[in-house]
Amino acid sequence: MHFFSTVAAAAALAGLVNADAYVAAAGPLVQVSAFKDGPTKAGMYVYVPTKKADKAPIIVAIHYCTGTAQKYFSGSNYASLADTHGFIVIYPNSPSSGGCWDVASTGSLTHGKGGDSETIVNMVKYAVTNYGGDADRVFATGSSSGAMMTNVLAGAYPDVFRAGSVYSGVPDGCFYVSGATTGMATPGWSNSCANGQNIKTAQAWGDLVRSYYPGYNGTYPKMQIFHGTADNTLDYPNLAEQMKEWSNVFGISFTKNVTGTPQSGYTQMVYGDGTKLVGYSAQGVGHTVPIHESMDLSWFGIA
């Protein structure tokens, strides 16, 4: 299975379907041409509402393969919700020719070692300095390749992000490819991971996450993870592997399933007391699960 034989058709719609009724933002998406703080050439786009909160929360909304910052802006409700709640939204734009994110190289997976992940972190720092963003309230979300990057950011930069919401991704480190090359259409690719065949113990996944920021002893971002049972691009077993990974990082166990939550056909999987890790299995949903922006804001503690 090659990336674009399976992703191009499905992921092109990933950011264009959301569970909440779409509402256009009051203002435009702005390219931040002054941002030059690499290390990669990912572009920074930002939405700052007219009525921005003092010390505004920051949401990093990360597009899918074949997508762009503009597509994720126009295909989701984060910006319109920013008009209501006063937070800042950063929309990174992938530097790869196919629009995918580097979630496979040692640099991007590891704290302070480069890659797209460090470029996105530098965008957050830019927003704190130049737009009045609150460094203590930074969150990440994304679909497909953007979901993968959300997991990568949570693992490599837990000191930056407070929570993540993942739509149809894979575990942090699942796509690792030795010597992966950035700037290509597909910056590293793992058939076994995409097919849901990278099966590890919870301890092994947790150890992998911890290895990406050696010596870090602080807390990790709380995680909310969505996946469809009919996903044939990043297959459904990746949900279980993500839940195993983060449950080990948090040191918590599965507690219960809640059917019909947040809607018919979905099952909520609660770990611990549900404040650090929850999963959502979407029956019959393919790649990717529609964005549930209102749930994201609640998970982030913004609304």
Side-chain angles (χ1 to χ4, degrees):
M1 182 181 74
H2 186 271
F3 195 75
F4 289 102
S5 65
T6 56
V7 171
L13 299 177
L16 305 180
V17 180
N18 48 292
D20 300 335
Y22 177 71
V23 179
L29 181 66
V30 176
Q31 182 176 8
V32 185
S33 57
F35 175 77
K36 306 290 186 183
D37 297 331
T40 68
K41 294 183 179 180
M44 181 179 180
Y45 291 74
V46 66
Y47 185 78
V48 181
T50 301
K51 296 181 179 179
K52 179 181 66 67
D54 293 334
K55 298 262 311 187
I58 298 170
I59 294 178
V60 180
I62 312 170
H63 68 73
Y64 44 91
C65 282
T66 76
T68 62
Q70 181 65 53
K71 287 180 180 179
Y72 215 54
F73 165 75
S74 61
S76 64
N77 278 330
Y78 296 117
S80 61
L81 288 166
D83 290 332
T84 300
H85 299 286
F87 57 84
I88 297 164
V89 192
I90 296 171
Y91 296 89
N93 197 72
S94 171
S96 75
S97 60
C100 301
W101 294 99
D102 171 18
V103 296
S105 72
T106 300
S108 200
L109 287 166
T110 309
H111 184 89
K113 296 297 183 180
D116 289 339
S117 65
E118 188 170 6
T119 302
I120 291 172
V121 167
N122 286 338
M123 293 178 191
V124 171
K125 294 177 181 177
Y126 187 97
V128 170
T129 301
N130 293 279
Y131 300 116
D134 187 349
D136 292 326
R137 290 189 294 168
V138 180
F139 313 99
T141 186
S143 300
S144 191
S145 185
M148 300 184 208
M149 178 54 75
T150 298
N151 274 322
V152 167
L153 291 169
Y157 295 93
D159 55 332
V160 175
F161 296 91
R162 296 296 172 262
S165 187
V166 175
Y167 290 94
S168 307
V170 302
D172 181 23
C174 190
F175 258 46
Y176 171 74
V177 178
S178 179
T181 302
T182 60
M184 300 174 64
T186 309
W189 175 256
S190 168
N191 283 337
S192 61
C193 179
N195 295 339
Q197 297 168 338
N198 278 11
I199 308 299
K200 301 180 186 294
T201 65
Q203 183 68 45
W205 280 124
D207 287 345
L208 201 58
V209 171
R210 288 181 286 269
S211 74
Y212 296 139
Y213 192 173
Y216 179 72
N217 294 316
T219 59
Y220 279 81
K222 63 180 189 174
M223 300 298 290
Q224 174 175 262
I225 300 171
F226 295 82
H227 216 102
T229 64
D231 193 331
N232 295 318
T233 299
L234 300 173
D235 288 11
Y236 183 64
N238 280 302
L239 173 60
E241 298 308 296
Q242 289 174 88
M243 302 311 290
K244 286 158 61 176
E245 179 172 68
W246 290 110
S247 65
N248 181 264
V249 170
F250 294 125
I252 55 178
S253 301
F254 172 77
T255 301
K256 62 181 179 180
N257 282 332
V258 183
T259 58
T261 299
Q263 65 200 64
S264 177
Y266 283 58
T267 298
Q268 181 192 54
M269 298 172 289
V270 179
Y271 283 71
D273 62 4
T275 61
K276 294 181 179 179
L277 178 63
V278 292
Y280 293 95
S281 175
Q283 182 63 38
V285 176
H287 190 74
T288 67
V289 175
I291 303 169
H292 289 64
E293 295 96 336
S294 59
M295 289 181 64
D296 293 341
L297 294 199
S298 178
W299 185 245
F300 298 158
I302 294 175

